[in-house]
């Protein structure tokens, strides 16, 4: 189950980046069906997006896939996908996602919005 959750989050982030709303909702429904916490989903998506931002920065500094692999201490295949996601993602869109996730996290934790409803709004808006 843990591997399925991690794979679903990876696929959810990729669907967000690709702007594939139907896939985003499908994956989110899968995560909900196995009782995955919305707070955990928000945190994990944020971490994956930060990883993409960090990778974009490293690429801008001239890092290669191999350098990224060594820097993050990941496999060659993982570094390939990190670089691929960073290359195919718009910096402005990443910043919007991060801001929206931060706002959503605050609103949930301060009781301004229901976590399930807020998560669905974020996913539909994205």
């Amino acid at each position: 189950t843990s591997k399925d959750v991690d794979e679903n989050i990876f696929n959810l982030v990729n669907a967000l980046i690709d702007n594939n709303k139907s896939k985003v909702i499908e994956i989110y429904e899968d995560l909900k069906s196995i009782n995955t916490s919305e707070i955990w989903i928000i945190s994990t998506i944020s971490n994956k997006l930060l990883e993409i931002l960090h990778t974009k920065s490293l690429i801008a500094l001239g890092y290669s896939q191999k350098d990224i692999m060594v820097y993050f201490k990941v496999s060659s295949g993982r570094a390939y996908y990190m670089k691929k996601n960073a290359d195919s993602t718009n910096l402005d869109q990443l910043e919007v996602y991060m801001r929206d996730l931060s706002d959503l996290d605050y609103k949930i934790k301060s009781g301004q919005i229901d976590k399930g409803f807020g998560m669905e709004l974020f996913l539909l808006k994205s």
Side-chain angles (χ1 to χ4, degrees):
T1 308
S2 174
K3 186 173 182 175
D4 291 340
V5 172
D6 289 339
E7 186 175 324
N8 274 340
I9 291 294
F10 176 78
N11 291 332
L12 180 64
V13 171
N14 286 339
L16 272 173
I17 290 169
D18 294 340
N19 201 27
N20 186 343
K21 291 191 190 314
S22 62
K23 187 74 172 171
V24 166
I25 297 303
E26 176 187 329
I27 296 167
Y28 176 65
E29 291 297 326
D30 285 346
L31 288 167
K32 277 185 20 182
S33 74
I34 55 174
N35 297 319
T36 308
S37 162
E38 286 87 353
I39 300 297
W40 183 85
I41 294 170
I42 291 168
S43 173
T44 306
I45 291 172
S46 296
N47 288 337
K48 294 290 183 192
L49 294 175
L50 282 171
E51 183 179 85
I52 293 169
L53 281 167
H54 197 153
T55 304
K56 274 186 107 45
S57 297
L58 293 175
I59 291 168
L61 293 172
Y63 279 55
S64 67
Q65 178 182 324
K66 184 177 179 185
D67 297 330
I68 291 167
M69 179 183 79
V70 171
Y71 183 87
F72 283 107
K73 298 178 183 152
V74 296
S75 69
S76 177
R78 175 94 192 274
Y80 168 81
Y81 284 106
M82 290 169 70
K83 186 173 182 322
K84 180 181 173 197
N85 281 346
D87 287 338
S88 67
T89 308
N90 181 311
L91 181 61
D92 293 334
Q93 189 60 49
L94 282 172
E95 290 173 351
V96 168
Y97 287 149
M98 292 304 297
R99 185 178 54 249
D100 289 350
L101 284 168
S102 174
D103 290 345
L104 175 60
D105 186 57
Y106 173 79
K107 287 178 181 177
I108 289 171
K109 289 177 179 174
S110 64
Q112 296 177 32
I113 193 168
D114 174 74
K115 60 186 174 184
F117 181 68
M119 189 73 217
E120 289 175 14
L121 281 177
F122 166 77
L123 294 173
L124 290 172
K125 177 183 167 192
S126 301

